[in-house]
Amino acid sequence: MRPARFAHEPAATGPGPRSGAGPGTRDSRPGAPTQVWALVESPRAILSPPGIVRTPGLAGVLFGAADYAVAAGCRITSRAMWYPRCQIVTAAAAAGIPAVDTPYFRLDDPDGLRQEALEAVELGFSGKVAVHPRQLPVIARAFTPGPGELEAARTVLAA
């Protein structure tokens, strides 16, 4: 199975967990494999991620906070979403598949988007869904490793 590519990444990337086709992309080449991603958006699903991520052929998992919040009777806040986000990212990591964080719905709040995207990185998500193209640069900056992270990775690889 090909690794996934997320909307915030350029089409030409090197090998790794963030290259290939993924959510929001479609490979139109004849014979290209279809990828299936699970959308986890209910309290019941949040309690079942280990079973969901073990589905044969599953390429990745996405978190849907809006429907989750309605079903759980909570607000879409950082604190209210940490538990479901942690459940999803932990199960996905254990299964070796990427987890993509929920969209940030306030289009006129780039600072809020930046903070939520940085939280997604901190939690271990592989990407974040964008609901508008102007969100892509903010998401891309959050998911781009800094010079210190790159140097640490080079040190590990050289060891």
Side-chain angles (χ1 to χ4, degrees):
M1 182 173 303
R2 295 177 310 156
R5 180 176 66 92
F6 301 103
H8 67 271
E9 294 181 299
T13 60
R18 296 185 186 169
S19 61
T25 66
R26 187 168 85 83
D27 191 337
S28 60
R29 294 176 298 168
T34 300
Q35 291 192 341
V36 175
W37 287 68
L39 176 58
V40 177
E41 55 185 355
S42 73
R44 183 176 171 194
I46 292 301
L47 294 176
S48 306
I52 292 169
V53 299
R54 285 193 304 258
T55 301
L58 189 67
V61 62
L62 299 115
F63 177 43
D67 288 335
Y68 171 82
V70 169
C74 67
R75 294 184 178 159
I76 303 175
T77 64
S78 174
R79 185 173 29 213
M81 294 299 118
W82 272 63
Y83 177 75
R85 290 165 87 197
C86 288
Q87 287 286 95
I88 290 168
V89 81
T90 300
I97 61 173
V100 177
D101 194 27
T102 190
Y104 187 78
F105 298 103
R106 293 184 213 111
L107 294 179
D108 295 323
D109 183 10
D111 291 332
L113 171 61
R114 182 184 58 77
Q115 179 60 40
E116 192 169 285
L118 290 171
E119 286 178 2
V121 170
E122 184 178 328
L123 289 169
F125 281 95
S126 300
K128 184 162 188 64
V129 176
V131 294
H132 193 280
R134 71 177 176 225
Q135 293 179 317
L136 294 175
V138 176
I139 294 169
R141 276 191 301 278
F143 280 86
T144 300
E149 292 172 295
L150 290 174
E151 185 57 36
R154 286 185 188 106
T155 301
V156 169
L157 290 173

